[in-house]
Amino acid sequence: MLDIATQKSFQERLGAIRTLKKEQLVSGQEKMLLSLKEAGKHSFFEYLGNTYFVKSLNKYEETSDDFKNKKGYFISELTCLCLESGQTLNFEWEFDDELEISMTLERFSFRNLKDEAGEAIDEDDLDQIADDKDMIVINGEKFWYEDDWASIYYRGSKEEKVYMYEFENEGHTKFLTIEEWSGSGKDEYQIYTSSPVDPNTISIISKGDL
């Protein structure tokens, strides 16, 4: 007998599959013209042999450091359910001269982060690390400072302030992002690695709700 978690995962995936209607399928010719930009909420797409269902679609908009002035540059975040594994992960895309896509890999907490000397770091060290353009080490892998910037996160009609600290490994094959969420009385943090995705390796099955 399946355990409760496995049953829930199976039911969630089956429920997602049942939402796919034949008339929503993208034709072979149209697939050649579509990218992840055309994937809306409740869409389906294939990537590296797996099929993903888009559970939600939200956006970040870059702002001035005080969050007051919106700059009109967006990053779209697709929270996706993998129909084969039951895993939920995020794909993000942005367009800056060309389409750039990344996929989340692992999530961490501050106890996983070290500085170059092997000392523990916490949220109080982030601004100094950014100012000095220092590195962060996770499980022996080094990530160099790349950028930091402020944004507004749009979740439906709700807006939240998020400050981003971005790092990259030496081979440019993996990114480290630390998100500082404010507005709920105290700051909360999301720390995760991600990897770049070749846009040509994603095939849209249905466009969902745009």
Side-chain angles (χ1 to χ4, degrees):
M1 182 155 178
L2 298 176
D3 60 71
I4 293 177
T6 302
Q7 289 182 50
K8 287 184 176 179
S9 175
F10 179 77
Q11 291 169 357
E12 183 183 21
R13 284 178 275 169
L14 184 59
I17 293 169
R18 285 174 171 165
T19 67
L20 181 60
K21 308 300 181 184
K22 185 176 180 180
E23 60 270 18
Q24 296 174 335
L25 295 176
V26 173
S27 68
Q29 186 175 7
E30 189 180 5
K31 280 186 179 182
M32 302 295 293
L33 304 175
L34 299 179
S35 69
L36 196 62
K37 290 195 301 179
E38 283 74 44
K41 184 179 179 181
H42 299 155
S43 62
F44 292 80
F45 64 89
E46 293 177 327
Y47 173 62
L48 298 185
N50 287 325
T51 306
Y52 294 91
F53 170 70
V54 180
K55 298 169 63 175
S56 64
L57 173 57
N58 302 302
K59 292 185 177 183
Y60 300 86
E61 182 179 8
E62 185 178 3
T63 69
S64 57
D65 284 348
D66 60 6
F67 301 101
K68 292 183 178 179
N69 298 317
K70 299 177 180 180
K71 297 187 177 182
Y73 183 80
F74 294 89
I75 296 177
S76 294
E77 177 191 74
L78 288 73
T79 299
C80 302
L81 173 67
C82 177
L83 299 184
E84 286 78 11
S85 69
Q87 180 185 16
T88 295
L89 48 79
N90 292 336
F91 285 79
E92 293 183 355
W93 70 261
E94 57 187 293
F95 195 90
D96 185 11
D97 296 326
E98 62 181 7
L99 180 60
E100 299 177 4
I101 301 173
S102 64
M103 179 183 70
T104 56
L105 298 174
E106 294 182 82
R107 295 191 176 274
F108 300 91
S109 64
F110 276 106
R111 66 175 177 268
N112 302 115
L113 309 185
K114 307 291 183 183
D115 62 16
E116 189 174 9
E119 299 295 324
I121 63 174
D122 60 24
E123 59 270 23
D124 295 330
D125 299 314
L126 292 176
D127 287 336
Q128 191 63 53
I129 289 172
D131 289 342
D132 295 342
K133 295 180 170 50
D134 278 343
M135 71 170 63
I136 290 177
V137 182
I138 300 180
N139 298 330
E141 184 170 15
K142 298 177 179 178
F143 291 84
W144 278 264
Y145 168 84
E146 178 67 24
D147 197 9
D148 64 287
W149 52 285
S151 70
I152 297 293
Y153 184 77
Y154 300 97
R155 193 195 314 268
S157 60
K158 186 178 181 182
E159 297 184 9
E160 300 174 76
K161 297 176 181 178
V162 188
Y163 199 88
M164 320 283 282
Y165 298 87
E166 298 180 333
F167 302 80
E168 192 172 30
N169 70 354
E170 185 174 12
H172 309 293
T173 59
K174 195 183 294 184
F175 313 120
L176 168 66
T177 303
I178 301 175
E179 297 182 351
E180 180 182 83
W181 295 69
S182 57
S184 58
K186 68 174 184 177
D187 292 339
E188 298 179 358
Y189 294 85
Q190 294 185 16
I191 305 171
Y192 58 90
T193 52
S194 58
S195 62
V197 171
D198 180 352
N200 295 319
T201 59
I202 289 179
S203 178
I204 305 299
I205 298 172
S206 76
K207 293 187 287 187
D209 306 325
L210 295 173

